[in-house]
Amino acid sequence: MSQPLVLGIETSCDETGFALVRGRELLADVTASSMDEHARFGGIVPEVASRAHLEAFVPTLDAALDAAGCRLEDVDAVAVTAGPGLVGSLTVGLAAAKSLALALDRPLYGVNHVIGHIAVDELVHGAFPDHFVGLVVSGGHTSLLEVRDVATDVVELGQTLDDAAGEAFDKVGRLLGLPYPGGPHVDRLSQQGDRTAIRFPRGLSKGKDVVRHPYDFSFSGLKTAVARYVEGVEDAGEELPAADVAASFSEAVADVLVSKTLAACQRTGTQTVVIGGGFSANSRLRELAAERGAEHGIEVRIPPIRYCTDNGAMIAALGSAMLRSGVGPSAWDIPADSGMPLTTVRA
């Protein structure tokens, strides 16, 4: 008997994503982005994002169905992001998903966007081990998770106390005069610089800080250190070594992320790390995680870059995992939860 066909819908921020997954097989994944509409504002404008979802919803859904070679009536369950995210964007997706599920008489699963960034890896690297550590790094989230079942048993070990990794990259990008979003531009520039040129601080990594916050992250102080360095160079009338700044900053972020993640593996007795989220596309993070993971005998799984940013595949993958684990559907009156905690996998 074939496994259920799950339609995944993602509208937490500025991407409108649809995907169709059967079991752990991805049949189609189509995403429409409104990023260009936000670039001139230097950041995401919630109202613009919500309107863009409304405009893109039906065309993107149709494109996903066409790519999968199936009809809407073939769908067995609908999974949609219920949170966290922008409340307007979430509301658009939830309202439409409820309408689809009701019209089709199919179960509805309102799922956690952040955990979806981990779940998508099953579509690429196969079934998860019974126990692993997940690191989610994006523009809005930096979280360490202990996972025994991605659909039912996720424990948050730590999170960012201020700026997320991707957010810090965007801010440093502005300091260096790079276009928005800064993350990819800082990453490219860093590859031309010397990552040992400037010793930037590693937040919550020494002394009492690491004892009190072994799995938490802080990048605000690092961002400030970069700002002070840039100001000092400019005040001295010297030329800013932008590539070295980008490389040294990138190294500081990757060093903290990888060090704390591998420490979590050792202390929880796990042998596998799954890294997801938009910032997992960062070249130095990927390189350093693979290098240090091999040194410690820990398998590091990171999906291809196309699955790092927000997409429907991650939501469909999590919905499919819930069906396999026997999780019941969500209630029809589930609200959009912009601050959904990571202890909530399904709303």
Side-chain angles (χ1 to χ4, degrees):
M1 182 176 179
S2 63
Q3 298 188 62
L5 179 64
V6 179
L7 171 65
I9 304 172
E10 157 60 20
T11 64
S12 67
C13 191
D14 62 315
E15 276 92 14
T16 308
F18 287 87
L20 289 136
V21 165
R22 191 182 296 280
R24 294 185 178 89
E25 180 186 1
L26 179 63
L27 304 181
D29 179 34
V30 180
T31 302
S33 176
S34 60
M35 177 59 71
D36 290 344
E37 298 178 46
H38 303 283
R40 64 194 178 100
F41 299 106
I44 303 298
V45 180
E47 177 65 17
V48 172
S50 298
R51 291 180 180 275
H53 289 308
L54 286 170
E55 295 172 359
F57 197 94
V58 173
T60 312
L61 169 60
D62 289 342
L65 291 168
D66 289 344
C70 63
R71 303 169 304 161
L72 194 56
E73 293 78 7
D74 297 329
V75 170
D76 295 304
V78 177
V80 60
T81 300
L86 301 176
V87 68
S89 295
L90 292 170
T91 299
V92 172
L94 263 174
K98 289 177 181 180
S99 299
L100 286 174
L102 279 167
L104 295 168
D105 191 23
R106 301 292 191 270
L108 174 73
Y109 290 83
V111 305
N112 192 303
H113 167 89
V114 176
I115 298 172
H117 277 301
I118 295 296
V120 73
D121 187 75
E122 281 202 299
L123 304 181
V124 180
H125 297 120
F128 289 133
D130 293 336
H131 187 202
F132 66 93
V133 166
L135 172 66
V136 179
V137 277
S138 67
H141 307 281
T142 303
S143 301
L144 261 179
L145 313 172
E146 183 178 8
V147 184
R148 295 186 185 277
D149 185 323
V150 75
T152 63
D153 191 353
V154 177
V155 176
E156 185 177 24
L157 299 175
Q159 62 179 328
T160 182
L161 302 184
D162 39 59
D163 291 348
E167 184 181 5
F169 262 71
D170 286 341
K171 291 179 177 178
V172 168
R174 285 198 289 272
L175 289 171
L176 297 178
L178 300 175
Y180 177 85
H185 297 287
V186 173
D187 188 16
R188 283 190 287 271
L189 182 61
S190 71
Q191 296 171 40
Q192 305 169 27
D194 178 2
R195 56 178 176 261
T196 65
I198 309 160
R199 177 67 185 183
F200 286 127
R202 273 68 167 160
L204 302 181
S205 296
K206 292 183 179 180
K208 293 181 180 179
D209 284 341
V210 75
V211 173
R212 293 172 182 166
H213 301 282
Y215 306 127
D216 291 322
F217 303 94
S218 172
F219 298 110
S220 180
L222 170 59
K223 175 202 65 182
T224 300
V226 175
R228 296 291 175 267
Y229 180 87
V230 171
E231 289 173 3
V233 171
E234 291 176 344
D235 289 346
E238 300 173 357
E239 182 179 354
L240 180 69
D244 289 347
V245 172
S248 299
F249 165 73
S250 298
E251 184 70 11
V253 174
D255 184 16
V256 170
L257 290 172
V258 173
S259 296
K260 286 181 175 272
T261 300
L262 294 183
C265 283
Q266 293 172 335
R267 294 178 192 178
T268 57
T270 58
Q271 298 298 312
T272 303
V273 171
V274 179
I275 303 177
F279 187 73
S280 65
N282 180 265
S283 61
R284 183 54 183 160
L285 175 60
R286 286 173 169 259
E287 181 181 52
L288 194 61
E291 176 186 309
R292 291 190 182 170
E295 291 174 358
H296 290 83
I298 293 174
E299 178 189 18
V300 176
R301 294 171 45 154
I302 310 178
I305 290 175
R306 61 174 290 201
Y307 300 121
C308 295
T309 53
D310 297 346
N311 57 79
M314 58 191 251
I315 305 307
L318 185 51
S320 185
M322 288 181 175
L323 287 168
R324 288 196 303 274
S325 294
V327 177
S330 301
W332 291 111
D333 62 350
I334 57 169
D337 187 352
S338 60
M340 181 181 286
L342 295 188
T343 49
T344 302
V345 181
R346 189 224 68 187

